[in-house]
Amino acid sequence: VVKAFEMEIIPAQRIVAQIGGTLVLTCNTTGCASPSFSWRTQMDSPLGGKVSNHRTYSTLTMNPVGIVNSHSYLCTVICERGKKEKSVKVELYSFPSDPVIEISPSLVAGEPAPVICRIPDVYPSHHLEVLLKKDEHVLHEEDFLDDDSTNTETKIVTFTFHPMAEDAGKEITCVARLPIADMDFEPKERTSSQKLNVNFGPQNTVMTASPGNSPMEGDSLNLTCVTQSNPPAQIVWSKYLAEESIQHLIKNNVLFIPRVHFNDSGRYICEVINLVTNKTEEATMDIIIQGAPVITKLTIEPSTTVQEGENVSIQCSAESNPPPKIILRRKSDNADIGTSSARSILLPSVMFQNGGDYECVAENKYGNSKSEITLNVKYGPKNTMITVFPAALKEGETVTMKCTSSGNPAPVISWKKKKATGESEKISKNATITIQNLKNQDLGLYECEAYNQFGKEEKAVELFVQARLEEPDQMISLIIAFSSVAAVAVPAVAILIYVSRQAKINGSYSLVKALRLKV
């Protein structure tokens, strides 16, 4: 059976090819033993491909497919039995890859940000439709209906939007569509998405205190600083000091004080810094430490040991909340020197009587606190006195003379006796001297000297015979002790009172006139 002479082109009819791809047209024959093939375009343009003839078929390979291949191709077959022709139309498109989105990786909330979507190598571009979406919300639409490009082109869509803090983590999507009627190709829609990294803040900064902003002295305190920021903010803690200076503390979101003291009271600042947005924000809180008073200072100026006559300042201060009542007093008499919140008490030209233990008492509704300090007043000898025992003396008796004096440090006591030559002879370094079997040679002027590093004071007493008493059976010497004061001492008198029986006194000597006492 002889087959009829036939031909066909594969693929047949309308062909849709992507620019840059590969297209092979095959021209087949049947019923012809030695066919002759030829290819041409309808407009006799260059083929834009490679022809390969085989025994019963011929191929036209276009690799890569280009704009030059947008034609109707005609295959002609000549056989001894005749000639036949068939044509096929090649239509082109280019939509090779997904869009490319360009967004700054470091957006700042509230500041304009360009979004660029590039659709590479599109053809025909007048069919292109582009949408920009933020999640499901359409930000921008654009088409290219007026585009008359005759070759593939990369189309660019640019849109400027203002990202907000709540946009962080959302997606910007570029949707590119190439809907060409009666052209069967896939995909006709391509998308690309990019997650937004929106830098924002710091904002809504809040400081909290646990257990509260008025803890008791000795409690722990937790200060926490919370803010909204991307990237996470750097947190710096500080505290206002006197004279508007600031003490920097730590860099952390939590400031922990295990045991608070009164000096921890003050205004605390939490400063949050976003190093990307270059923005800062602050939160402040006043912390007030409550509790019983703590005495912070109890001093004596210029020193706890002073010399009589110096100006002395006693200072006592305490801290607490509520503020304390401060009482400063000398313990020996419980006399309040002053009541104040914190001040100095001045003792001008201090006297030795001001020495002793001083007490500072600070109190408020939570309790009280006490502290003591000793004021040591140094002074020279004072109130030096000589006492003689017994008051009425007789020859042959024992006489005791005692010298006393006050001073700080305690005075050193020494005794001297005036010799007939007028010179003084040291006779004792004891405060008390005793003369046994009183004789005439024991009479005379006795001097007592009280001495320390701050001065000296002297007193004197004179033993002499004032008169003689006549008795039927004996004569008894009357010894008078006369006390006088040295030039450096305060005048004082020690009188020995003589009690005797009735006697006849020879002469007219007046004891009162002899003594001439001075007070």
Side-chain angles (χ1 to χ4, degrees), residues 73-92:
Y73 285 88
L74 184 69
C75 177
T76 301
V77 181
I78 300 174
C79 186
E80 63 274 9
R81 298 173 64 181
K83 174 183 173 183
K84 288 194 174 184
E85 290 181 332
K86 281 195 177 178
S87 66
V88 64
K89 185 176 182 181
V90 175
E91 295 185 80
L92 303 180

Side-chain angles (χ1 to χ4, degrees), residues 285-487:
M285 181 178 289
D286 291 323
I287 299 298
I288 303 170
I289 311 301
Q290 301 190 91
V294 173
I295 294 176
T296 56
K297 181 179 181 182
L298 179 56
T299 60
I300 297 177
E301 299 294 342
S303 172
T304 55
T305 298
V306 297
Q307 188 173 348
E308 191 176 47
E310 289 189 66
N311 291 334
V312 172
S313 172
I314 302 178
Q315 299 175 338
C316 180
S317 59
E319 59 181 15
S320 70
N321 187 52
K325 174 186 177 184
I326 295 178
I327 301 171
L328 183 61
R329 62 193 175 204
R330 192 171 64 181
K331 288 188 68 177
S332 60
D333 52 16
N334 274 341
D336 293 353
I337 298 177
T339 299
S340 169
S341 59
R343 68 186 180 105
S344 253
I345 306 303
L346 182 64
L347 298 174
S349 191
V350 69
M351 302 175 64
F352 72 91
Q353 295 95 329
N354 298 129
D357 292 332
Y358 286 81
E359 178 181 60
C360 177
V361 180
E363 57 186 22
N364 67 9
K365 66 179 181 179
Y366 293 112
N368 62 64
S369 179
K370 295 182 181 180
S371 186
E372 294 181 8
I373 195 168
T374 300
L375 173 61
N376 187 13
V377 180
K378 301 286 188 178
Y379 62 96
K382 292 180 183 291
N383 303 324
T384 304
M385 295 179 59
I386 297 174
T387 59
V388 180
F389 182 83
L393 303 178
K394 297 176 184 178
E395 284 186 276
E397 290 187 330
T398 297
V399 179
T400 300
M401 290 185 291
K402 183 176 182 180
C403 183
T404 59
S405 182
S406 64
N408 186 19
V412 175
I413 304 293
S414 64
W415 286 92
K416 295 182 289 185
K417 183 184 177 187
K418 283 278 189 182
K419 297 165 61 174
T421 61
E423 295 180 353
S424 294
E425 176 188 9
K426 290 185 179 180
I427 60 174
S428 177
K429 291 184 178 181
N430 296 322
T432 301
I433 59 175
T434 301
I435 303 173
Q436 295 181 347
N437 192 16
L438 183 66
K439 303 179 183 62
N440 190 60
Q441 60 264 33
D442 295 322
L443 303 180
L445 185 67
Y446 288 82
E447 297 174 336
C448 164
E449 180 184 86
Y451 169 83
N452 67 14
Q453 67 195 81
F454 298 102
K456 69 178 180 178
E457 189 174 63
E458 293 180 346
K459 293 285 179 145
V461 63
E462 185 174 9
L463 302 183
F464 65 94
V465 176
Q466 170 66 20
R468 294 218 173 246
L469 299 180
E470 292 183 6
E471 285 282 323
D473 54 349
Q474 60 180 341
M475 292 292 293
I476 300 176
S477 297
L478 173 64
I479 308 299
I480 300 296
F482 177 71
S483 175
S484 64
V485 181

